[in-house]
Amino acid sequence: MNSAQYQTPIADRLRTSAQSDNVPFHTPGHHKGQGIDPELKIWWGEAIFQADLPELPELDNLFAPNGVIAEAETLAAEAWGSDRTFFLTNGSTAGVIVSILAVCNPGDSVLVPRNVHRSVISGLILSGANPVFMMPQYDERLGIAHGVAVDTIATHLASDPKIKAVLIVNPTYYGVCSDVVTIANLSHQYDLPLIVDEAHGAHFQFHPALPIAALSAGADIVIQSTHKTLSALTQASMLHMKGDRVSVDRLAKSLQLVQSTSPSYLLLASLDMARMQMATQGELLLGEAIDRVQRIRSEINKIANITTLEFTHRPGFHELDPLRITVLISGIDGFTADQILHEELGITCELPGLQSLTFIVTHGTTDSDCDRLLTGLKQLSDRINDMILESDPNSFNYELFTEIPTIVLSPRDAFFATSKLVTVSEAIGLISADLICPYPPGIPIVMPGEQITENAIAYLQQIVAAGGVLTGCADSDLQIMGVVDN
Ligand SMILES: Cc1ncc(COP(=O)(O)O)c(C=O)c1O
């Protein structure tokens, strides 16, 4: 490791500026905390407001970095092995949108799995590109989608010359990884860039027991939510680029379309510190976290009604992040299990599913957190044994989500079309104006421009009935929907 990785240029300069006694006649209006309500200042402390500074001359400029931001991005590029790294203060959401704007012109096609995050659809609407959806491998036992099979990608690429880029989600929310090396080689055989939404995999680079990082696997653009699995503040993310299939200029210009011109230095400094922490101690910290999970994983599997998702080699399931624990719950649905854990047992998971719960373990997870999880799951299991089953999870029909609906209009045309509200039963067969997805994990079931199928409605109704949350629809009970008025 290069000893320069101990440096934190943004954080250091920010601390100096925060502590200087320059009189602040600039944004933000709280003027180093002087205008903040005293109650908030007592709660959050003074330092955070003093460091909440704008792009002062000594703090560089995110859109044209040549000072401390440039230095910090170069250190991050070295740590993650990219040719160029961009810091993002608008989340991976911005990074995913930008990656599509950078490689697609209006009318181009992008090959994407159906279980993309909604930011991909935003990127398609803004760029005017069209999706070519491929079905990811489906785990019927858990009712969740995994990665994409190499054969599925190969078939699409061989038959559709309009495809201009390949975008995959790797890892999935559940930590499941596709065979990214083969997918990168395949994409490059057609001279297409591979974009990897690695929102949940920023840590992969820093421990050999973790799945291969997408950049090392050959991806051209990789987007990571540094805030999801590492220690950056919420929304702080990075976009890494490698090779010359993508224009750096076009990417930088696209960033200016979607990012704020007032980037938060709290976020930027947290990216700088998170990089330093991982580059200098990542292997140690992540190794300890992996050991912690291994200790409880086998214990969890001894609990009645609960089993963990384990690695089984099959298409679309090439590797599994050991730091992601997904448990399959029998006897009650995942949303009820989540409610019991969160409200009664003091354990909050990342993601409840119809029949599963997903827990994120990071270098910030302690031994005592792991013990509480184990105890909580045992108590949950006892509760399940005592409960009169009000909902039978086996009555869910996962098959409803295995067919890709017909695309009638591009996401962009549907977004800009005149729309109207109709009841869900009237909506069947019409073209959706909405992007409706259960959140989390943000996997769209109905997309703008797609014909609304009976199955899609039935699937969403199952989620509502089970206590899940839908976003993007006119009402959360799914009584009415937005359709294109033609
Ligand atoms: C797979 C995936 N991609 C992208 C995003 C967007 O990331 P961010 O929250 O950093 O904007 C998420 C967020 O949940 C995600 O799960």
Side-chain angles (χ1 to χ4, degrees):
M1 190 248 319
N2 177 356
S3 63
Q5 288 295 336
Y6 283 97
Q7 293 170 11
T8 49
I10 299 179
D12 293 354
R13 198 67 195 84
L14 186 62
R15 185 180 292 131
T16 312
S17 300
Q19 289 168 354
S20 95
D21 68 353
N22 275 23
V23 186
F25 285 102
H26 52 66
T27 61
H30 62 69
H31 284 178
K32 288 186 155 179
Q34 293 165 172
I36 290 286
D37 184 84
E39 215 172 300
L40 190 58
K41 217 191 282 188
I42 290 168
W43 178 24
W44 287 2
E46 303 229 350
I48 198 146
F49 300 111
Q50 286 160 357
D52 184 24
L53 290 170
E55 289 178 303
L56 298 174
E58 69 274 19
L59 290 178
D60 208 359
N61 182 303
L62 187 60
F63 289 165
N66 65 5
V68 287
I69 295 179
E71 286 169 37
E73 288 183 337
T74 303
L75 287 166
E78 184 186 84
W80 271 275
S82 77
D83 291 343
R84 178 80 194 260
T85 289
F86 295 88
F87 283 3
L88 309 172
T89 54
N90 295 65
S92 287
T93 298
V96 169
I97 294 172
V98 159
S99 67
I100 296 173
L101 287 170
V103 300
C104 290
N105 291 329
D108 285 348
S109 296
V110 198
L111 185 60
V112 291
R114 181 64 182 191
N115 56 337
V116 284
H117 184 258
R118 61 184 302 138
S119 53
V120 171
I121 311 306
S122 307
L124 295 173
I125 291 172
L126 290 171
S127 65
N130 296 312
V132 174
F133 286 117
M134 42 183 175
M135 227 13 164
Q137 296 297 301
Y138 203 68
D139 188 328
E140 287 178 16
R141 201 174 61 107
L142 286 159
I144 59 178
H146 291 324
V148 270
V150 170
D151 286 354
T152 309
I153 296 187
T155 307
H156 277 284
L157 292 183
S159 62
D160 192 342
K162 276 187 162 164
I163 294 172
K164 290 289 180 310
V166 179
L167 187 155
I168 59 167
V169 182
N170 194 79
T172 64
Y173 226 120
Y174 310 95
V176 173
C177 296
S178 309
D179 181 356
V180 193
V181 173
T182 309
I183 294 171
N185 285 335
L186 197 52
S187 308
H188 296 164
Q189 274 169 30
Y190 290 84
D191 201 23
L192 300 177
L194 174 67
I195 302 167
V196 179
D197 175 352
E198 202 177 47
H200 293 268
H203 55 303
F204 286 179
Q205 175 72 5
F206 301 102
H207 198 285
L210 294 172
I212 186 165
L215 218 53
S216 313
D220 301 81
I221 301 182
V222 175
I223 306 108
Q224 299 169 337
S225 293
T226 325
H227 65 95
K228 287 193 198 298
T229 58
L230 300 180
S231 51
L233 293 181
T234 297
Q235 268 185 236
S237 299
M238 292 190 199
L239 184 151
H240 307 287
M241 287 179 74
K242 204 166 177 178
D244 51 14
R245 279 184 197 83
V246 180
S247 152
V248 181
D249 283 350
R250 168 100 171 240
L251 200 129
K253 272 191 202 147
S254 307
L255 275 168
Q256 297 185 25
L257 292 184
V258 300
Q259 290 234 96
S260 167
T261 52
S262 307
S264 162
Y265 271 87
L266 301 174
L267 302 192
L268 294 174
S270 78
L271 283 172
D272 203 14
M273 297 297 289
R275 183 270 313 152
M276 183 277 288
Q277 183 184 41
M278 278 300 124
T280 60
Q281 308 165 62
E283 192 162 339
L284 172 75
L285 296 174
L286 292 168
E288 287 170 355
I290 293 167
D291 290 346
R292 284 190 187 107
V293 177
Q294 271 165 358
R295 177 172 70 78
I296 58 165
R297 203 178 264 278
S298 54
E299 292 300 310
I300 294 174
N301 281 320
K302 292 180 193 152
I303 304 173
N305 307 311
I306 292 172
T307 21
T308 59
L309 169 68
E310 295 299 334
F311 174 67
T312 41
H313 202 289
R314 57 189 143 136
F317 200 151
H318 192 69
E319 288 185 275
L320 179 66
D321 178 1
L323 294 178
R324 205 52 62 112
I325 303 178
T326 295
V327 297
L328 171 66
I329 309 280
S330 339
I332 56 171
D333 64 83
F335 300 112
T336 310
D338 175 48
Q339 200 176 357
I340 296 171
L341 274 183
H342 178 66
E343 290 176 10
E344 299 173 34
L345 302 174
I347 313 266
T348 309
C349 77
E350 166 67 14
L351 174 69
L354 288 176
Q355 219 166 322
S356 63
L357 295 173
T358 300
F359 303 88
I360 298 183
V361 176
T362 72
H363 63 290
T365 311
T366 62
D367 277 324
S368 120
D369 295 341
C370 288
D371 291 339
R372 281 190 63 187
L373 175 60
L374 197 54
T375 312
L377 290 175
K378 283 179 187 158
Q379 289 169 323
L380 175 68
S381 172
D382 293 342
R383 288 287 308 277
I384 295 172
N385 287 337
D386 296 343
M387 275 169 83
I388 301 160
L389 299 186
E390 282 172 8
S391 67
D392 172 8
N394 294 326
S395 65
F396 280 116
N397 183 357
Y398 301 116
E399 288 295 318
L400 295 173
F401 182 46
T402 50
E403 262 182 37
I404 294 168
T406 311
I407 300 175
V408 184
L409 292 177
S410 71
R412 183 183 177 87
D413 287 344
F415 181 84
F416 288 110
T418 311
S419 64
K420 62 178 180 185
L421 292 174
V422 296
T423 63
V424 275
S425 50
E426 288 168 342
I428 294 167
L430 302 181
I431 304 167
S432 176
D434 293 337
L435 191 168
I436 305 183
C437 59
Y439 206 91
I443 298 169
I445 306 290
V446 176
M447 306 268 197
E450 281 181 357
Q451 192 163 41
I452 299 167
T453 63
E454 215 171 329
N455 281 355
I457 301 283
Y459 187 89
L460 292 169
Q461 283 171 333
Q462 287 186 124
I463 290 176
V464 174
V469 177
L470 302 183
T471 63
C473 41
D475 75 322
S476 52
D477 294 339
L478 202 68
Q479 300 299 316
I480 48 172
M481 288 180 73
V483 295
V484 171
D485 188 9
N486 50 4

